[in-house]
Amino acid sequence: MNSYFEEVQALLTIVGEQEKQSINESAKHISKAVMSDGIIHLFGSGHSHILTEEVFYRAGGLAAIRPIFVEDLMLFKGASRSSQLERQNDLSEKFMHDEDIRPGDVCIVISSSGVNPVPIDVATIAKEKGAFVIGLTSPEYAKSCSSRHKQKHYLHDVVDLVIDNHIAKGDTLLKSNNIPFGSGSTVVGAVLLNMVFTQVIQTIIESGETPPVFLSSNIEGADEHNQKIIAKYKTRIPQL
């Protein structure tokens, strides 16, 4: 069996067993927000940004999800540039000031290392705006590095709840001839987010309400179904 597959399996087993409480707590807060017409905001920089799109406008996925898109922090605008910008203190204030985050919303901030100022400040500002803030991060990774934040904060310090992705320093799962390779954060992060949001959907169903879930556009009647949901959320999620 491929060694990368084995390492991913082992890591998923760890997060599945050790993050049950965090997943349950996250699902509880998100379910409450969705049933109160709140929005779930997600932010990530660089490769962490991929995870914000993973769960957005997804067939079989929750509709009340709004990614915070900042193009300068995405890879297509310049990969090394996005890394340098993520390290800038106070940069988040320039784009977070106008973000429509309200009391009762939930904000998920994604950063495996949790050492860079931008995601740390996004979490802080979202909390100041009244959102419940969840960090998808690795405290183990963070503690192995120095914080770049001007106040020496780490992401896990400033959020209300941590979902630990158990990613080791360097975000690699394999090593050969002293060369570390094989990233795990995107695979594990996608599984964790989907675990949370599927539990949210199930919780809403069990409460007797109908969860806002998109259907695949290839299914008969999906367009009408999805347009009704988009009409409900379009004002607060303009990306729809």
Coordinates of all heavy atoms in Angstrom, one line a residue, residues 78-162:
G78 N 0.1 35.3 -7.1 CA 1.5 35.2 -6.8 C 1.7 34.4 -5.6 O 1.3 34.9 -4.5
A79 N 2.2 33.2 -5.7 CA 2.3 32.3 -4.6 C 3.2 32.8 -3.5 O 2.8 32.8 -2.3 CB 2.8 30.9 -5.1
S80 N 4.4 33.1 -3.8 CA 5.3 33.6 -2.7 C 4.8 35.0 -2.2 O 5.0 35.3 -1.0 CB 6.7 33.8 -3.3 OG 6.8 34.6 -4.4
R81 N 4.2 35.7 -3.0 CA 3.6 37.0 -2.6 C 2.5 36.8 -1.5 O 2.5 37.6 -0.6 CB 3.1 37.8 -3.8 CG 2.4 39.1 -3.5 CD 2.0 39.8 -4.8 NE 1.4 41.1 -4.5 CZ 0.1 41.3 -4.5 NH1 -0.7 40.2 -4.6 NH2 -0.4 42.5 -4.2
S82 N 1.7 35.8 -1.7 CA 0.6 35.6 -0.8 C 1.2 35.2 0.6 O 0.7 35.6 1.6 CB -0.3 34.5 -1.3 OG 0.3 33.2 -1.3
S83 N 2.3 34.4 0.6 CA 3.0 34.1 1.8 C 3.5 35.3 2.6 O 3.4 35.4 3.8 CB 4.1 33.1 1.6 OG 3.6 31.8 1.1
Q84 N 4.1 36.2 1.8 CA 4.7 37.4 2.4 C 3.6 38.3 3.0 O 3.7 38.8 4.1 CB 5.5 38.1 1.4 CG 6.8 37.4 1.0 CD 7.7 37.2 2.1 OE1 7.9 38.0 3.0 NE2 8.3 36.0 2.2
L85 N 2.5 38.4 2.2 CA 1.4 39.3 2.7 C 0.7 38.7 4.0 O 0.3 39.5 4.8 CB 0.3 39.4 1.6 CG 0.8 40.3 0.4 CD1 -0.3 40.2 -0.7 CD2 1.0 41.7 0.8
E86 N 0.7 37.4 4.1 CA 0.0 36.8 5.2 C 0.8 37.1 6.5 O 0.3 37.0 7.6 CB 0.0 35.2 5.1 CG -0.8 34.5 6.1 CD -0.8 33.0 6.0 OE1 0.0 32.5 5.2 OE2 -1.6 32.4 6.7
R87 N 2.1 37.4 6.4 CA 2.9 37.7 7.5 C 2.8 39.2 8.0 O 3.5 39.6 8.9 CB 4.4 37.4 7.2 CG 4.6 35.9 6.8 CD 6.0 35.7 6.4 NE 6.3 34.3 6.1 CZ 7.5 33.8 5.8 NH1 8.5 34.6 5.7 NH2 7.6 32.5 5.5
Q88 N 2.1 40.0 7.3 CA 2.0 41.4 7.6 C 1.0 41.7 8.7 O -0.2 41.4 8.6 CB 1.6 42.2 6.4 CG 2.7 42.3 5.3 CD 2.3 43.3 4.2 OE1 1.4 44.1 4.3 NE2 3.0 43.2 3.1
N89 N 1.5 42.3 9.7 CA 0.6 42.8 10.8 C -0.3 43.9 10.3 O 0.1 44.7 9.5 CB 1.5 43.3 12.0 CG 2.0 42.1 12.8 OD1 1.3 41.6 13.6 ND2 3.3 41.8 12.6
D90 N -1.5 43.9 10.8 CA -2.5 44.9 10.5 C -3.1 44.9 9.1 O -4.0 45.7 8.7 CB -2.0 46.4 10.8 CG -1.5 46.5 12.2 OD1 -2.1 46.0 13.1 OD2 -0.4 47.2 12.4
L91 N -2.6 44.0 8.2 CA -3.2 43.9 6.9 C -4.7 43.5 6.9 O -5.5 44.0 6.1 CB -2.4 42.9 6.1 CG -2.9 42.6 4.6 CD1 -2.8 43.9 3.8 CD2 -2.1 41.4 4.0
S92 N -5.0 42.7 7.9 CA -6.4 42.2 8.0 C -7.4 43.3 8.2 O -8.6 43.2 7.7 CB -6.6 41.2 9.1 OG -5.7 40.1 8.9
E93 N -7.0 44.3 8.9 CA -7.9 45.5 9.1 C -8.4 46.1 7.8 O -9.5 46.7 7.8 CB -7.2 46.5 10.0 CG -6.9 45.9 11.4 CD -6.2 47.0 12.3 OE1 -6.0 48.1 11.8 OE2 -5.8 46.6 13.4
K94 N -7.6 46.1 6.8 CA -7.9 46.7 5.5 C -9.1 46.0 4.8 O -9.8 46.7 4.1 CB -6.7 46.7 4.6 CG -5.5 47.6 5.2 CD -4.3 47.5 4.2 CE -3.2 48.3 4.8 NZ -2.0 48.3 3.9
F95 N -9.2 44.7 5.0 CA -10.3 44.0 4.3 C -11.4 43.6 5.3 O -12.5 43.4 4.9 CB -9.8 42.9 3.4 CG -9.1 41.8 4.2 CD1 -9.9 40.7 4.8 CD2 -7.7 41.7 4.3 CE1 -9.2 39.7 5.4 CE2 -7.1 40.7 4.9 CZ -7.8 39.7 5.5
M96 N -11.1 43.4 6.5 CA -12.1 42.9 7.5 C -13.0 44.0 8.0 O -14.1 43.7 8.4 CB -11.4 42.3 8.7 CG -10.8 40.9 8.4 SD -12.1 39.7 8.1 CE -12.8 39.5 9.7
H97 N -12.6 45.3 7.8 CA -13.5 46.4 8.3 C -14.9 46.3 7.7 O -15.9 46.6 8.3 CB -12.8 47.7 8.0 CG -13.6 48.9 8.4 ND1 -14.5 49.5 7.6 CD2 -13.6 49.6 9.6 CE1 -15.1 50.5 8.2 NE2 -14.6 50.6 9.5
D98 N -14.9 46.0 6.4 CA -16.2 46.0 5.7 C -16.9 44.7 5.5 O -17.9 44.5 4.9 CB -16.0 46.6 4.3 CG -15.6 48.1 4.3 OD1 -16.1 48.8 5.2 OD2 -14.8 48.5 3.5
E99 N -16.3 43.6 6.1 CA -16.9 42.3 6.0 C -18.2 42.3 6.9 O -18.2 42.7 8.0 CB -15.9 41.2 6.5 CG -14.7 41.0 5.6 CD -15.1 40.4 4.3 OE1 -16.1 39.6 4.2 OE2 -14.4 40.7 3.3
D100 N -19.2 41.7 6.2 CA -20.5 41.7 6.9 C -20.6 40.5 7.8 O -21.3 39.5 7.6 CB -21.6 41.6 5.8 CG -23.0 41.6 6.4 OD1 -23.2 42.0 7.6 OD2 -24.0 41.2 5.7
I101 N -20.0 40.6 9.0 CA -20.0 39.6 10.0 C -20.8 40.2 11.2 O -20.5 41.3 11.7 CB -18.6 39.2 10.5 CG1 -17.8 38.6 9.3 CG2 -18.6 38.2 11.6 CD1 -16.3 38.4 9.6
R102 N -21.8 39.4 11.6 CA -22.7 39.9 12.6 C -22.8 39.0 13.9 O -22.4 37.9 13.8 CB -24.1 40.0 12.0 CG -24.2 40.8 10.7 CD -25.6 40.8 10.1 NE -25.6 41.4 8.8 CZ -26.7 41.5 8.0 NH1 -27.9 41.0 8.5 NH2 -26.6 42.0 6.8
P103 N -23.3 39.6 15.0 CA -23.5 38.7 16.1 C -24.5 37.6 15.8 O -25.4 37.8 15.0 CB -24.2 39.7 17.1 CG -23.7 41.0 16.7 CD -23.6 41.0 15.2
G104 N -24.1 36.4 16.2 CA -24.9 35.2 15.9 C -24.3 34.4 14.7 O -24.7 33.3 14.5
D105 N -23.4 35.0 14.0 CA -22.7 34.3 12.9 C -21.6 33.4 13.5 O -21.2 33.6 14.7 CB -22.0 35.3 11.9 CG -23.1 36.0 11.0 OD1 -24.2 35.6 11.0 OD2 -22.7 36.9 10.3
V106 N -21.0 32.6 12.7 CA -19.8 31.8 13.1 C -18.8 32.1 12.1 O -19.1 32.2 10.9 CB -20.1 30.3 13.1 CG1 -18.9 29.5 13.4 CG2 -21.2 30.0 14.2
C107 N -17.5 32.2 12.5 CA -16.4 32.4 11.6 C -15.4 31.2 11.8 O -14.9 31.0 13.0 CB -15.8 33.7 11.8 SG -14.4 34.1 10.6
I108 N -15.0 30.5 10.8 CA -14.0 29.5 10.9 C -12.7 30.0 10.2 O -12.7 30.4 9.0 CB -14.4 28.2 10.2 CG1 -15.7 27.7 10.8 CG2 -13.3 27.1 10.3 CD1 -16.3 26.5 10.2
V109 N -11.6 30.1 10.9 CA -10.3 30.6 10.4 C -9.4 29.4 10.3 O -9.2 28.7 11.3 CB -9.7 31.7 11.3 CG1 -8.4 32.2 10.7 CG2 -10.7 32.8 11.4
I110 N -8.8 29.2 9.1 CA -8.0 28.0 8.8 C -6.5 28.4 8.6 O -6.2 29.2 7.8 CB -8.5 27.4 7.5 CG1 -10.0 27.1 7.6 CG2 -7.7 26.1 7.3 CD1 -10.7 26.8 6.3
S111 N -5.7 27.8 9.5 CA -4.2 28.0 9.4 C -3.6 26.9 10.2 O -3.7 26.9 11.4 CB -3.8 29.4 9.9 OG -2.4 29.5 9.9
S112 N -2.9 26.0 9.5 CA -2.2 24.9 10.2 C -1.2 25.4 11.2 O -1.1 25.0 12.3 CB -1.6 23.9 9.2 OG -2.6 23.2 8.6
S113 N -0.3 26.3 10.8 CA 0.7 26.8 11.7 C 0.2 27.7 12.7 O 0.6 27.7 13.9 CB 1.8 27.5 10.9 OG 1.4 28.7 10.4
G114 N -0.8 28.6 12.3 CA -1.4 29.5 13.3 C -0.4 30.6 13.8 O -0.7 31.2 14.8
V115 N 0.6 30.9 13.0 CA 1.7 31.8 13.5 C 1.6 33.2 12.8 O 2.3 34.1 13.2 CB 3.1 31.2 13.4 CG1 3.2 29.9 14.2 CG2 3.5 31.0 12.0
N116 N 0.9 33.2 11.7 CA 1.0 34.5 10.9 C -0.1 35.5 11.3 O -1.2 35.1 11.6 CB 0.9 34.1 9.4 CG 2.1 33.4 8.9 OD1 3.3 33.8 9.2 ND2 2.0 32.3 8.2
P117 N 0.2 36.7 11.2 CA -0.7 37.8 11.7 C -2.1 37.8 11.0 O -3.1 38.1 11.7 CB 0.1 39.1 11.4 CG 1.5 38.7 11.4 CD 1.5 37.3 10.8
V118 N -2.1 37.6 9.7 CA -3.4 37.8 9.0 C -4.5 36.9 9.5 O -5.6 37.4 9.9 CB -3.2 37.7 7.4 CG1 -4.6 37.5 6.8 CG2 -2.5 38.9 6.9
P119 N -4.3 35.6 9.5 CA -5.4 34.8 10.1 C -5.7 35.0 11.6 O -6.9 35.0 12.0 CB -5.0 33.3 9.9 CG -3.5 33.4 9.6 CD -3.3 34.7 9.0
I120 N -4.7 35.4 12.3 CA -4.9 35.7 13.7 C -5.7 36.9 13.9 O -6.7 36.9 14.7 CB -3.5 35.9 14.4 CG1 -2.7 34.6 14.5 CG2 -3.7 36.4 15.9 CD1 -1.3 34.7 14.9
D121 N -5.4 37.9 13.1 CA -6.2 39.2 13.2 C -7.6 39.0 12.6 O -8.6 39.6 13.1 CB -5.5 40.3 12.5 CG -4.3 40.8 13.3 OD1 -4.2 40.5 14.5 OD2 -3.4 41.4 12.7
V122 N -7.8 38.2 11.6 CA -9.1 37.9 11.1 C -10.0 37.3 12.2 O -11.1 37.7 12.4 CB -9.1 36.9 9.9 CG1 -10.4 36.4 9.5 CG2 -8.5 37.6 8.6
A123 N -9.4 36.3 12.9 CA -10.2 35.7 14.0 C -10.5 36.8 15.1 O -11.6 36.8 15.6 CB -9.3 34.6 14.6
T124 N -9.6 37.6 15.4 CA -9.8 38.6 16.4 C -10.9 39.6 16.0 O -11.8 39.9 16.8 CB -8.5 39.4 16.7 OG1 -7.5 38.4 17.2 CG2 -8.7 40.4 17.8
I125 N -10.8 40.1 14.8 CA -11.8 41.0 14.3 C -13.2 40.4 14.2 O -14.2 41.0 14.5 CB -11.3 41.6 13.0 CG1 -10.0 42.5 13.2 CG2 -12.4 42.5 12.4 CD1 -9.3 42.9 11.9
A126 N -13.2 39.2 13.7 CA -14.5 38.5 13.6 C -15.2 38.3 15.0 O -16.4 38.5 15.2 CB -14.3 37.1 13.0
K127 N -14.3 38.1 16.0 CA -14.9 38.0 17.4 C -15.4 39.3 17.8 O -16.4 39.4 18.5 CB -13.8 37.4 18.3 CG -14.3 37.1 19.7 CD -13.2 36.7 20.6 CE -12.6 35.4 20.3 NZ -11.6 34.9 21.3
E128 N -14.6 40.4 17.5 CA -15.0 41.7 17.9 C -16.4 42.1 17.3 O -17.2 42.9 17.8 CB -14.0 42.7 17.5 CG -12.7 42.6 18.3 CD -11.6 43.5 17.8 OE1 -11.7 44.1 16.7 OE2 -10.5 43.6 18.5
K129 N -16.6 41.6 16.1 CA -17.9 41.8 15.4 C -19.1 41.0 15.9 O -20.2 41.2 15.5 CB -17.7 41.6 13.9 CG -16.9 42.6 13.1 CD -16.7 42.2 11.7 CE -16.0 43.3 10.9 NZ -16.9 44.3 10.4
G130 N -18.7 40.1 16.9 CA -19.8 39.3 17.5 C -19.9 37.9 17.1 O -20.8 37.2 17.6
A131 N -19.1 37.4 16.2 CA -19.2 36.0 15.7 C -18.5 35.1 16.8 O -17.6 35.5 17.5 CB -18.5 35.9 14.4
F132 N -19.0 33.8 16.7 CA -18.3 32.8 17.5 C -17.2 32.3 16.5 O -17.5 31.9 15.4 CB -19.3 31.6 17.8 CG -18.7 30.5 18.6 CD1 -18.6 30.6 20.0 CD2 -18.2 29.4 18.0 CE1 -18.0 29.6 20.7 CE2 -17.6 28.4 18.7 CZ -17.5 28.5 20.1
V133 N -16.0 32.2 17.0 CA -14.9 31.9 16.1 C -14.2 30.6 16.4 O -13.9 30.3 17.5 CB -13.8 33.1 16.2 CG1 -12.6 32.8 15.3 CG2 -14.4 34.4 15.9
I134 N -14.1 29.8 15.3 CA -13.5 28.5 15.4 C -12.2 28.5 14.6 O -12.1 29.0 13.5 CB -14.4 27.4 14.8 CG1 -15.7 27.4 15.5 CG2 -13.7 26.0 14.8 CD1 -16.8 26.6 14.9
G135 N -11.1 28.0 15.2 CA -9.8 27.9 14.5 C -9.6 26.4 14.1 O -9.6 25.5 14.9
L136 N -9.4 26.2 12.8 CA -8.9 24.9 12.3 C -7.4 25.0 12.2 O -6.9 25.6 11.2 CB -9.6 24.6 10.9 CG -9.1 23.3 10.3 CD1 -9.3 22.1 11.2 CD2 -9.9 23.1 9.0
T137 N -6.7 24.5 13.1 CA -5.2 24.8 13.2 C -4.6 23.6 14.0 O -5.2 22.7 14.4 CB -5.0 26.1 14.0 OG1 -3.6 26.4 14.0 CG2 -5.5 26.1 15.4
S138 N -3.2 23.7 14.1 CA -2.5 22.7 14.8 C -1.7 23.4 15.9 O -0.6 24.0 15.7 CB -1.5 22.0 13.9 OG -0.6 21.1 14.6
P139 N -2.1 23.3 17.2 CA -1.4 23.9 18.3 C 0.0 23.3 18.4 O 1.0 24.0 18.7 CB -2.2 23.6 19.5 CG -3.6 23.5 19.0 CD -3.5 22.9 17.6
E140 N 0.2 22.1 18.0 CA 1.5 21.4 18.1 C 2.5 22.1 17.1 O 3.6 22.4 17.4 CB 1.4 20.0 17.7 CG 2.8 19.2 17.6 CD 2.7 17.9 17.0 OE1 1.5 17.3 16.8 OE2 3.7 17.3 16.7
Y141 N 2.0 22.4 15.9 CA 2.8 23.1 14.9 C 3.1 24.5 15.4 O 4.3 24.9 15.3 CB 1.9 23.1 13.6 CG 2.7 23.6 12.3 CD1 2.2 23.3 11.1 CD2 3.9 24.3 12.4 CE1 2.8 23.7 9.9 CE2 4.5 24.7 11.2 CZ 3.9 24.4 10.0 OH 4.6 24.8 8.8
A142 N 2.1 25.2 15.9 CA 2.3 26.5 16.4 C 3.4 26.6 17.4 O 4.3 27.5 17.4 CB 1.0 27.1 16.9
K143 N 3.3 25.7 18.4 CA 4.3 25.7 19.5 C 5.7 25.4 19.1 O 6.6 25.7 19.9 CB 3.8 24.8 20.6 CG 2.5 25.2 21.3 CD 2.0 24.2 22.2 CE 0.6 24.6 22.8 NZ 0.0 23.5 23.6
S144 N 5.9 24.9 17.9 CA 7.2 24.6 17.4 C 7.8 25.8 16.7 O 9.0 25.7 16.2 CB 7.2 23.4 16.5 OG 6.6 23.7 15.2
C145 N 7.1 26.9 16.5 CA 7.5 28.1 15.8 C 7.3 29.3 16.6 O 6.5 29.3 17.5 CB 6.7 28.2 14.5 SG 6.7 26.7 13.4
S146 N 8.0 30.4 16.2 CA 7.8 31.7 16.8 C 6.6 32.4 16.1 O 6.5 32.3 14.9 CB 9.0 32.5 16.7 OG 10.1 31.9 17.4
S147 N 5.8 33.0 16.9 CA 4.7 33.8 16.3 C 5.2 35.0 15.6 O 6.1 35.7 16.1 CB 3.7 34.2 17.4 OG 2.7 35.1 16.9
R148 N 4.6 35.3 14.4 CA 5.0 36.5 13.7 C 4.1 37.7 14.0 O 4.2 38.8 13.5 CB 4.9 36.3 12.2 CG 6.0 35.3 11.7 CD 6.0 35.2 10.2 NE 7.1 34.4 9.7 CZ 7.0 33.1 9.3 NH1 5.7 32.6 9.4 NH2 8.0 32.4 8.9
H149 N 3.1 37.4 14.9 CA 2.2 38.4 15.3 C 2.8 39.4 16.2 O 3.7 39.1 17.1 CB 1.0 37.8 16.0 CG -0.2 38.7 16.2 ND1 -0.4 39.5 17.3 CD2 -1.3 39.0 15.4 CE1 -1.5 40.2 17.2 NE2 -2.0 39.9 16.0
K150 N 2.5 40.7 16.1 CA 3.1 41.8 16.9 C 2.9 41.6 18.4 O 3.7 42.0 19.2 CB 2.6 43.1 16.4 CG 1.1 43.4 16.6 CD 0.7 44.7 16.0 CE -0.7 45.0 16.2 NZ -1.1 46.3 15.6
Q151 N 1.8 40.9 18.7 CA 1.6 40.6 20.2 C 1.9 39.2 20.5 O 1.6 38.7 21.6 CB 0.1 40.9 20.5 CG -0.3 42.4 20.4 CD -1.7 42.7 20.6 OE1 -2.6 42.0 20.2 NE2 -2.0 43.7 21.4
K152 N 2.6 38.5 19.6 CA 3.1 37.1 19.8 C 1.9 36.1 20.1 O 2.1 35.1 20.7 CB 4.1 37.1 21.0 CG 5.3 38.0 20.7 CD 6.0 37.6 19.4 CE 7.2 38.5 19.2 NZ 7.8 38.2 17.8
H153 N 0.7 36.5 19.5 CA -0.4 35.5 19.6 C -0.2 34.4 18.6 O 0.5 34.6 17.6 CB -1.7 36.3 19.3 CG -2.1 37.2 20.4 ND1 -2.9 38.3 20.2 CD2 -1.8 37.3 21.7 CE1 -3.1 38.9 21.3 NE2 -2.4 38.3 22.3
Y154 N -0.9 33.3 18.9 CA -1.1 32.2 17.9 C -2.6 32.2 17.6 O -3.4 32.6 18.5 CB -0.6 30.9 18.5 CG 0.9 30.8 18.7 CD1 1.5 31.1 20.0 CD2 1.8 30.5 17.6 CE1 2.8 31.0 20.2 CE2 3.2 30.5 17.8 CZ 3.7 30.7 19.1 OH 5.0 30.6 19.3
L155 N -2.9 31.5 16.5 CA -4.4 31.4 16.2 C -5.1 30.7 17.3 O -6.2 31.2 17.7 CB -4.5 30.7 14.9 CG -6.0 30.5 14.4 CD1 -6.7 31.9 14.3 CD2 -6.0 29.7 13.1
H156 N -4.6 29.7 17.9 CA -5.3 28.9 18.9 C -5.5 29.7 20.2 O -6.3 29.4 21.0 CB -4.6 27.6 19.2 CG -3.3 27.7 19.8 ND1 -2.1 27.6 19.1 CD2 -2.9 27.8 21.1 CE1 -1.1 27.7 19.9 NE2 -1.6 27.8 21.2
D157 N -4.8 30.8 20.3 CA -4.9 31.7 21.5 C -6.2 32.6 21.4 O -6.7 32.9 22.5 CB -3.7 32.6 21.7 CG -2.4 31.9 22.0 OD1 -2.5 30.9 22.7 OD2 -1.3 32.4 21.6
V158 N -6.6 32.9 20.2 CA -7.5 34.0 20.1 C -8.9 33.5 19.6 O -9.9 34.3 19.6 CB -7.0 35.1 19.0 CG1 -5.7 35.7 19.5 CG2 -6.9 34.5 17.6
V159 N -9.1 32.2 19.3 CA -10.4 31.7 18.9 C -11.2 31.2 20.1 O -10.7 31.0 21.2 CB -10.2 30.6 17.9 CG1 -9.5 31.1 16.6 CG2 -9.5 29.4 18.4
D160 N -12.5 31.0 19.9 CA -13.3 30.5 20.9 C -13.2 29.0 21.0 O -13.5 28.4 22.1 CB -14.8 30.9 20.6 CG -15.0 32.4 20.7 OD1 -14.7 33.0 21.7 OD2 -15.5 32.9 19.6
L161 N -12.9 28.3 19.9 CA -12.9 26.9 19.9 C -11.9 26.4 18.9 O -11.8 27.0 17.8 CB -14.3 26.3 19.5 CG -14.5 24.8 19.4 CD1 -14.2 24.1 20.7 CD2 -15.9 24.5 18.9
V162 N -11.1 25.4 19.2 CA -10.1 24.9 18.3 C -10.5 23.5 17.8 O -10.9 22.6 18.6 CB -8.7 24.8 19.0 CG1 -7.7 24.0 18.1 CG2 -8.2 26.2 19.3

